[in-house]
Amino acid sequence: MAVQEGMLLGMGNPLLDISATVKPELLTKHNLKSNDAILTEDEAIFNDLTGGYSVDYIAGGATQNSIRVAQWVLGVKNATSYFGCVGKDDYSKTLENKAKEAGVNVQYQLSDEYPTGRCAVLITG
């Protein structure tokens, strides 16, 4: 079967991964441990991350990650499509741009009620 546009569809909870190599002091400041994961809605960690470090933005979330890998393997633009719900905010625009840069056809539902999900990835090594 030839690879063609729209041959694989994913649906899930999109996240904007915000990743940076940080100083260990940032973990201490926010009472974080190495090699750990937490859930938070505290804006301070995101403000510190984006305000003081060079960050990478990555279209994330389990299903969207899988779709991006499949897109890379298939190699034909828009061979994959993905949909999920994001907030009407700047983070959703960044998320959409990053997914499209990877060649994925994204169609997000926009929410007035909830913000775009984000994941802070703090690398200390």
Side-chain angles (χ1 to χ4, degrees), residues 76-89:
V76 173
K77 185 178 179 184
N78 294 332
T80 62
S81 297
Y82 175 85
F83 63 94
C85 188
V86 296
K88 282 187 181 177
D89 52 38

Side-chain angles (χ1 to χ4, degrees), residues 11-22:
M11 175 187 75
N13 297 313
L15 293 174
L16 178 61
D17 293 344
I18 305 171
S19 176
T21 300
V22 301

Side-chain angles (χ1 to χ4, degrees), residues 18-36 44-56 119-125:
I18 305 171
S19 176
T21 300
V22 301
K23 296 177 182 171
E25 293 80 21
L26 186 62
L27 298 181
T28 304
K29 178 180 178 181
H30 294 282
N31 296 315
L32 302 172
K33 296 180 275 183
S34 292
N35 303 313
D36 202 4
I45 194 167
F46 293 101
N47 292 338
D48 286 347
L49 186 60
T50 58
Y53 295 95
S54 175
V55 299
D56 290 316
C119 176
V121 180
L122 311 178
I123 304 164
T124 57

Side-chain angles (χ1 to χ4, degrees), residues 93-111:
K93 294 172 189 158
T94 301
L95 181 59
E96 182 174 7
N97 288 338
K98 290 299 175 178
K100 286 183 176 180
E101 280 177 17
V104 178
N105 172 24
V106 290
Q107 301 295 320
Y108 296 127
Q109 177 185 4
L110 298 174
S111 172

